[in-house]
Amino acid sequence: MSQKMATREGYGAALAEFGADSRIVVLDADLSKSTKTEVFKKKYPERFINMGIAEGNMMTVAAGLASCGKIVFASSFAMFAAGRAFEQVRNSICYPALNVKIGASHAGITVGEDGASHQTVEDIAIMRALPNMVVISPADSVETKFAVKAAIEYDGPVYLRLGRASVPVIFDENSYQFEIGKGTVLKEGNDLTIIATGIMVEKALEARELLQKEGVQARVINIHTIKPIDSELIVKAAMETGAVVTAEEHSIIGGLGSAVAEVLADKYPVPIKRVGIEDRFGKSGKPNELLEKYGLTAKNIVEKAKESMNMKKK
Amino acid sequence: MKKQEILELRKWAAKIRKHIITEVLHAASGHPGGSLSCTDILTVLYFHEMKVDPKNPRWEDRDRFVLSKGHCSPALYGALAEKGFFPVEDLKSFRHIDSYLEGHPSMKSVPGVDMSTGSLGQGISAAVGMALAGKLDKKDYRVYSILGDGELQEGQVWEAFMAAAHYKLDNLVAFLDYNGLQIDGKITEVLSPEPIEDKLKAFGWKVIRINGHDFVQIIEALNEAGKSKGKPVVIMAETVKGKGVSFMENQAGWHGTAPSQEQAEQAFAEIDAYMSKLEVE
Ligand SMILES: Cc1ncc(C[n+]2csc(CCOP(=O)(O)OP(=O)(O)O)c2C)c(N)n1
Ligand SMILES: [Mg+2]
């Protein structure tokens, strides 16, 4: 587990690895070095198209290409892919359910030094509100690779949420299995459930160890697909453990925490505490300093876990 | 070009104009003004220019059409129905709850619609994507689009123009429905996109200027566009918003207003009178 790699690195590598299919076309908006689509570009230059700094146009061009049978990956920073081009994604990609995959890198606060203008902490909320959209938030570069493969095989719009910072590789490439819409139990436990996505999965595992030292057995669930969400697995965990804490590198408004709360409010209400960014903008700093400052830590998950357990009906 | 063919095209256009009135009348909503201004262009596209197959709307090698000014769906649906993509009778269900004829073009529900549009500024980008796909696949299908002149105020249009010129998309032809009006009035008074021709040229497009109600000019412009090498072509078609219905002509107020039964009857009578004149020509 000592190896570290950014999910965007996994994205670029996967595009190159699975890119042989001539239907695959990769678009970028002058950020191919950052989003790592340049790895694909080097291998398949004839199927890489730079659309310049014009994200709205890029998304609709992607739709046009997809309408002619292409599997299109359109990449930019999450801020511009989900934010600037929201309406193009909605009207030109999701409404007609076209086969476009949005590779949105630099999501979350771990963008770091670039600061709030680039730290997208609202993208899950707005992307999952779109009908026909699949939203995937991988935890490490291995999961990213399998997510890219699944996105190629799936016919329809997909939003892939990727990070800039190097993060620990937690999955084993040789045994890892990925299915869109299926969460996985990473650790068993019956006292409460920690449901995490993206880079917070690793923090959730760390929190579990801390809790174990205090005699608490936490179940840890990885939700890589935020939409469609694995309600069955979440409801089962709520029934068996009676308390939930969610963890995500995203606003507590509209993200994984909200999605889990929606499922449980509908089907099996239990106490839920959410770890995420508390309705405020980010700032410049090093990724780890920012995670600390904004409470995206194992320690905070532990605290929220205890609060959630204390709320269980005695 | 035979005189007979031009006469036939005029007749198709008149029928489509009647369909437009029928659609907005039965929907009690919709956009007659801009639909009537682009009817002649659509008629030439569907009844002279484009390779399409109503029996196989998704035919891979077909020419593509994107109505970037998607609010003019009544004209597009009228043309598609006349072409045989779906029954003319269905036009009366336009915008109804149980109909597939959505208010703005929907590629998922309406046979023959190649791209869902309605949000101005996006259609032309989709057309650029289709033209790029054609180049990638070395196919010889062509891509056509119609833009509004008010639509030029959207920045995305210029992003698309830049991309089309950069990638030398000579398989792409955009018509500008240059009727001079948008919702709030004259385009030059709301927020002038002029000088349009200079801007289009500066963006690397070949520009052809015509009268957008003259069938011979529309056909000749398309022939010339077909010869372009390495440059996308825009046909600036001077048109009259509301063309063919006297009280709607050049009236911004008829942009998005449905006629009353009486007004519709007057419109039908005018178009019928025009059609009988064509019969004796
Ligand atoms: C992005 C967007 N903004 C606003 C509208 C509302 N709208 C519909 S038609 C129209 C005016 C269009 O004028 P023009 O492009 O000149 O079309 P035409 O005159 O040919 O009808 C507007 C503002 C829209 N459909 N899309
Ligand atoms: Mg106009």
Side-chain angles (χ1 to χ4, degrees):
Chain A
M1 223 197 248
S2 57
Q3 200 203 340
K4 281 185 133 194
M5 197 176 182
T7 51
R8 62 180 167 137
E9 306 270 0
Y11 174 65
L15 287 178
E17 183 174 344
F18 306 119
D21 187 329
S22 67
R23 292 172 302 168
I24 296 175
V25 177
V26 176
L27 308 183
D28 207 302
D30 195 34
L31 288 169
S32 63
K33 288 184 179 60
S34 302
T35 62
K36 298 300 166 192
T37 57
E38 72 164 4
V39 184
F40 176 90
K41 175 183 169 182
K42 283 195 181 120
K43 195 162 172 192
Y44 303 107
E46 69 288 354
R47 283 188 279 117
F48 175 86
I49 307 175
N50 205 323
M51 297 310 301
I53 315 160
E55 298 79 12
N57 181 53
M58 174 173 74
M59 290 305 171
T60 316
V61 166
L65 281 157
S67 79
C68 296
K70 300 296 177 195
I71 302 169
V72 190
F73 282 81
S75 276
S76 180
F77 289 170
M79 184 54 67
F80 316 125
R84 169 71 61 100
F86 171 76
E87 203 242 286
Q88 285 83 357
V89 171
R90 181 197 187 274
N91 278 322
S92 291
I93 297 174
C94 288
Y95 176 40
L98 288 166
N99 205 7
V100 177
K101 324 297 169 186
I102 298 165
S105 79
H106 293 57
I109 202 145
T110 49
V111 164
E113 291 81 348
D114 273 351
S117 63
H118 286 55
Q119 291 161 338
T120 323
V121 296
E122 314 83 3
D123 54 327
I124 294 177
I126 57 180
M127 289 293 110
R128 82 182 178 93
L130 293 174
N132 292 332
M133 184 64 106
V134 167
V135 179
I136 301 178
S137 153
D140 73 354
S141 57
V142 170
E143 190 162 83
T144 304
K145 174 176 154 175
F146 286 89
V148 168
K149 188 163 181 284
I152 291 171
E153 287 158 7
Y154 172 82
D155 185 10
V158 176
Y159 181 78
L160 282 165
R161 185 178 207 247
L162 309 163
R164 167 178 180 264
S166 273
V167 291
V169 178
I170 54 179
F171 295 115
D172 176 2
E173 189 158 358
N174 302 311
S175 58
Y176 185 78
Q177 303 233 336
F178 184 95
E179 193 184 330
I180 290 177
K182 284 272 171 273
T184 45
V185 177
L186 300 180
K187 296 283 177 193
E188 289 294 351
N190 284 323
D191 295 334
L192 96 149
T193 306
I194 308 171
I195 303 177
T197 192
I199 64 166
M200 293 307 284
V201 172
E202 191 247 338
K203 307 277 180 212
L205 292 168
E206 200 185 318
R208 182 182 187 271
E209 308 228 315
L210 296 173
L211 285 164
Q212 205 162 26
K213 284 186 190 137
E214 302 183 33
V216 176
Q217 304 299 330
R219 183 177 302 188
V220 177
I221 289 180
N222 170 27
I223 293 289
H224 51 63
T225 309
I226 294 175
K227 187 185 174 190
I229 199 156
D230 192 343
S231 341
E232 214 176 298
L233 190 71
I234 292 168
V235 170
K236 184 167 180 282
M239 284 176 170
E240 291 170 4
T241 68
V244 165
V245 56
T246 61
E248 64 197 303
E249 188 199 4
H250 183 275
S251 170
I252 54 162
I253 297 173
L256 171 74
S258 299
V260 168
E262 288 157 16
V263 169
L264 294 180
D266 271 355
K267 299 195 169 142
Y268 195 84
V270 297
I272 304 167
K273 286 284 164 183
R274 292 165 295 154
V275 172
I277 292 150
E278 308 269 349
D279 193 22
R280 55 187 174 143
F281 287 106
K283 70 170 305 304
S284 291
K286 293 202 168 60
N288 278 330
E289 295 168 346
L290 287 161
L291 290 173
E292 196 68 40
K293 187 175 169 68
Y294 287 84
L296 302 180
T297 58
K299 212 175 106 238
N300 197 25
I301 296 174
V302 169
E303 263 168 47
K304 289 269 165 50
K306 288 180 186 164
E307 286 175 28
S308 188
M309 283 195 299
N310 284 338
M311 286 168 69
K312 280 195 203 180
K313 288 206 189 76
K314 298 280 154 40
Chain B
M1 200 176 326
K2 290 190 209 88
K3 216 176 147 206
Q4 188 56 33
E5 194 199 349
I6 300 296
L7 188 62
E8 289 302 318
L9 288 171
R10 284 212 178 103
K11 288 184 193 165
W12 287 118
K15 282 190 198 163
I16 294 168
R17 285 197 163 87
K18 285 182 76 175
H19 292 328
I20 292 169
I21 301 301
T22 302
E23 289 170 81
V24 293
L25 173 69
H26 284 262
S29 71
H31 300 80
S35 294
L36 292 165
S37 70
C38 66
T39 297
D40 297 328
I41 297 165
L42 272 168
T43 302
V44 174
L45 284 174
Y46 279 95
F47 293 91
H48 171 86
E49 177 77 3
M50 284 171 40
K51 286 180 290 163
V52 290
D53 179 2
K55 292 201 182 57
N56 184 10
R58 293 262 169 259
W59 173 38
E60 274 186 28
D61 294 330
R62 72 187 184 284
D63 290 334
R64 266 79 172 167
F65 175 72
V66 183
L67 186 62
S68 201
K69 41 171 244 166
H71 58 283
C72 299
S73 48
L76 176 59
Y77 292 172
L80 291 173
E82 277 301 331
K83 189 77 185 174
F85 281 92
F86 48 83
V88 165
E89 195 50 33
D90 290 0
L91 293 171
K92 288 186 182 148
S93 73
F94 177 53
R95 292 182 165 226
H96 288 192
I97 187 72
D98 50 1
S99 173
Y100 58 94
L101 296 174
E102 286 296 314
H104 288 81
S106 165
M107 66 184 288
K108 279 284 172 200
S109 70
V110 186
V113 170
D114 292 322
M115 179 54 58
S116 302
T117 52
S119 174
L120 293 170
Q122 295 190 35
I124 184 66
S125 299
V128 168
M130 294 171 179
L132 276 169
K135 291 279 179 194
L136 280 171
D137 292 338
K138 301 196 168 51
K139 295 220 172 190
D140 61 5
Y141 65 72
R142 298 177 63 73
V143 183
Y144 301 89
S145 182
I146 301 179
L147 292 141
D149 48 4
E151 187 181 7
L152 294 180
Q153 290 155 358
E154 281 288 351
Q156 182 172 352
V157 167
W158 301 93
E159 296 179 4
F161 285 163
M162 216 186 317
H166 181 85
Y167 288 108
K168 302 187 167 54
L169 301 180
D170 51 20
N171 52 350
L172 174 64
V173 178
F175 279 91
L176 179 68
D177 188 352
Y178 196 14
N179 59 30
L181 294 176
Q182 57 190 111
I183 297 181
D184 283 347
K186 293 195 173 107
I187 58 166
T188 48
E189 284 170 11
V190 175
L191 189 96
S192 181
E194 296 289 358
I196 297 172
E197 185 171 349
D198 293 348
K199 283 179 183 152
L200 293 168
K201 283 184 178 152
F203 271 71
W205 285 56
K206 178 182 167 67
V207 183
I208 302 172
R209 270 185 99 131
I210 59 163
N211 171 345
H213 300 304
D214 181 324
F215 289 92
V216 176
Q217 288 190 32
I218 301 171
I219 291 171
E220 281 174 353
L222 283 166
N223 290 345
E224 200 184 327
K227 291 180 206 135
S228 177
K229 288 272 169 288
K231 267 190 178 195
V233 178
V234 56
I235 300 174
M236 281 180 76
E238 284 166 29
T239 55
V240 172
K241 202 158 174 166
K243 176 76 179 177
V245 178
S246 63
F247 57 93
M248 290 187 179
E249 288 191 359
N250 282 317
Q251 300 298 318
W254 281 103
H255 170 84
T257 312
S260 65
Q261 184 68 40
E262 264 178 305
Q263 288 167 323
E265 269 156 29
Q266 188 189 333
F268 290 138
E270 285 183 17
I271 302 168
D272 282 338
Y274 169 80
M275 286 172 96
S276 359
K277 264 204 329 221
L278 288 181
E279 289 305 327
V280 295
E281 253 182 45

